[in-house]
Structures are given as structure tokens and as C-alpha cells.
Amino acid sequence: MHDHTNTWGISTEAFLGWYVAAATGAVVIALVIRDVAMRKPTPALRTLTPPEMGVLTSDERAVRAAVAELESAAYSAGQGQHDRFTRIVRQRIDDAGGTAVPSRLVPTLPLPLLELRSDLVQAGYLNGNREHTLTRLSVVPVVVVAVVGTIRTGFTVVNENPVGYLPLVVVCLALIVVTLLRLSRRTRFGQVELSRLKDEYSYLTPNFQPSFATYGATSAGIAAALFGPGRDGGWAPGCGGGSSPSSCSTFSSTVSCGG
């Protein structure tokens, strides 16, 4: 005859009381560790290049910013020197026979993109390996408690004892683990700065159809970095941006505009 109250010599009610307390403590520890991981001294504000603005959102956005700047520069004179990343993108475009499709260029730029991200990690705009490592470590106490609850549930079912709301607590812990493992690409500072930049350059949004023949190539890169492709799929004069998309063909006689 089975004892319908005890598993491991502990009644379901007693175990649940201790288990909920342990689960609560584990979640608190995880949140404290995560808070420490996210806590940084306020970085010094710096002027970002268009690709740096883009990489705050994604690698492809960084490449798109460089391509938009290069495409726009082909239609305007006196645009000055491009940043190092944009020059590398230009070289990759030349190597690819003039194809300037950002999504296809990204796989050809692993090291330049890594350097771009690393610079912004050091500058405090992006989360890096330290934050990812601490985030994974933060969930260890929660995972341990969840595993214990799962094992207890299995033994309780096998012994045909009541499990109470233990499975529900375990499911909640699993959801908490998944949530805590999600780490934003940007730091809090980076998120604030991205929002500020979008406000500062709001006049470059696609809805305003900005003319980059007037604003210049750098503004075309900033627009692509912060707001993505325009309605016509491109940002350079002659590739959307207030000009006829039918005029989008090449720049510097070799590079085709790619959305």
C-alpha cells in the first residue's frame, strides 16, 4: 500500500513550501547577477560613423550603411574620406565584381564586422562576451532548482503520490530561464543613444524622401543605418531617396546598387 503523502520522506505540502522558497531565492540571485552584468560606468559619448550606427541594430545594417554611403558618394562630389569599414566594404564590392547587395556582403566581412562590434563593446554601446557569460551563469541556480523539481515530480508520479502545483512551478522556472537568457544586442547606454540618434536624424526617414544629393553621402549612410532601406529599396540619390529608382544602376562605373 502506497503512502500517498510522502516522497523522499517529505510530504508534498512541506516540499512545496521549501521548494517555492528555494525557487524564489534562485530567481533573486539570478536577477542580482544579471544586474551586475548590465551595470557599467556611463561611457563617454562619441561620434559614431554610419556603419557604427548600423551595427547597433545588426551586422547587415552596418553593411547597408556603408553601401548607401558609397552609392551616394558616386553621385556627389567632394564627399571626403570614408571610414575604414566603408573602405573595406568598397574593396569587397570590387572583389565581387561590383555587386553591392548588403545581405550578400555580410558573409564576406566576418573580421571587419567583429572589429566594428568589438570597438562598440569597449565603448559601452554593445554587450560583449562578459555580459553573455554572466547572463548564462546567472540562470544556473534557477536551472538547478528546476531540475530538482522535475526529478521530484517524476518520483512523485511513479510513487502515485499527489504532486500538487509543483509542475506549474517548474514550468514557471523554465520560462524564467528562457527570459533571463535573452540579452539585448545593445547596452542600456547603447539603447538610449540609438533612440537619441533616431530623433536627431528623424529628417532622414523614408517618409520625408530626403535628397542625399543635398544632404551628402554621410547622411545617406546614416539614414540606412538608422532607418533601413527606403521604400524603393535603396538610399542613394538615384537609388530611391527622392530620385527616380529607374536611374539606379552603377557607381564609379563598376558597382551596381543592390537593395
Side-chain angles (χ1 to χ4, degrees):
M1 179 177 179
H2 294 289
D3 183 344
H4 291 286
T5 59
N6 295 340
T7 296
W8 300 345
I10 307 172
S11 68
T12 298
E13 293 77 10
F15 182 85
L16 282 172
W18 286 104
Y19 189 77
V20 170
T24 302
V27 172
V28 170
I29 292 172
L31 291 174
V32 169
I33 296 176
R34 184 181 175 86
D35 183 67
V36 170
M38 300 297 104
R39 191 183 303 164
K40 292 182 176 181
T42 302
L45 192 63
R46 55 178 276 190
T47 301
L48 301 181
T49 65
E52 287 176 330
M53 293 182 190
V55 86
L56 291 175
T57 300
S58 69
D59 288 355
E60 183 174 334
R61 192 71 70 85
V63 176
R64 188 177 292 279
V67 170
E69 183 174 339
L70 290 168
E71 289 175 346
S72 184
Y75 288 87
S76 305
Q79 293 298 331
Q81 296 295 318
H82 299 299
D83 62 272
R84 179 174 180 272
F85 182 81
T86 300
R87 294 196 300 271
I88 293 174
V89 170
R90 176 54 191 267
Q91 183 59 53
R92 293 294 189 276
I93 293 172
D94 290 341
D95 294 342
T99 301
V101 180
S103 60
R104 296 179 184 176
L105 289 171
V106 170
T108 71
L109 296 160
L111 290 181
L113 284 167
L114 177 60
E115 292 175 358
L116 198 66
R117 293 193 303 269
S118 297
D119 287 345
L120 291 190
V121 168
Q122 293 179 2
Y125 288 81
L126 296 179
N127 286 312
N129 291 334
R130 170 185 174 273
E131 290 75 25
H132 285 281
T133 299
L134 287 176
T135 296
R136 288 190 290 268
L137 288 176
S138 71
V139 303
V140 171
V142 184
V143 171
V144 170
V145 174
V147 169
V148 171
T150 302
I151 295 173
R152 165 80 185 198
T153 299
F155 273 96
T156 302
V157 170
V158 169
N159 292 332
E160 299 181 6
N161 290 335
V163 296
Y165 54 83
L166 179 58
L168 178 61
V169 177
V170 172
V171 170
C172 290
L173 290 177
L175 293 176
I176 290 172
V177 167
V178 172
T179 301
L180 290 177
L181 284 175
R182 291 177 180 173
L183 183 63
S184 172
R185 182 183 185 89
R186 298 174 292 274
T187 62
R188 293 168 185 168
F189 175 78
Q191 182 59 50
V192 170
E193 278 305 295
L194 180 60
S195 298
R196 184 188 68 79
L197 289 169
K198 287 184 175 181
D199 288 340
E200 180 179 350
Y201 294 103
S202 59
Y203 62 90
L204 297 177
T205 57
N207 292 338
F208 291 130
Q209 296 185 334
S211 171
F212 297 112
T214 300
Y215 289 128
T218 299
S219 292
I222 291 173
L226 298 179
F227 307 112
R231 290 178 301 177
D232 295 318
W235 278 102
C239 296
S243 300
S244 171
S246 63
S247 63
C248 174
S249 56
T250 62
F251 70 84
S252 296
S253 302
T254 58
V255 184
S256 60
C257 301

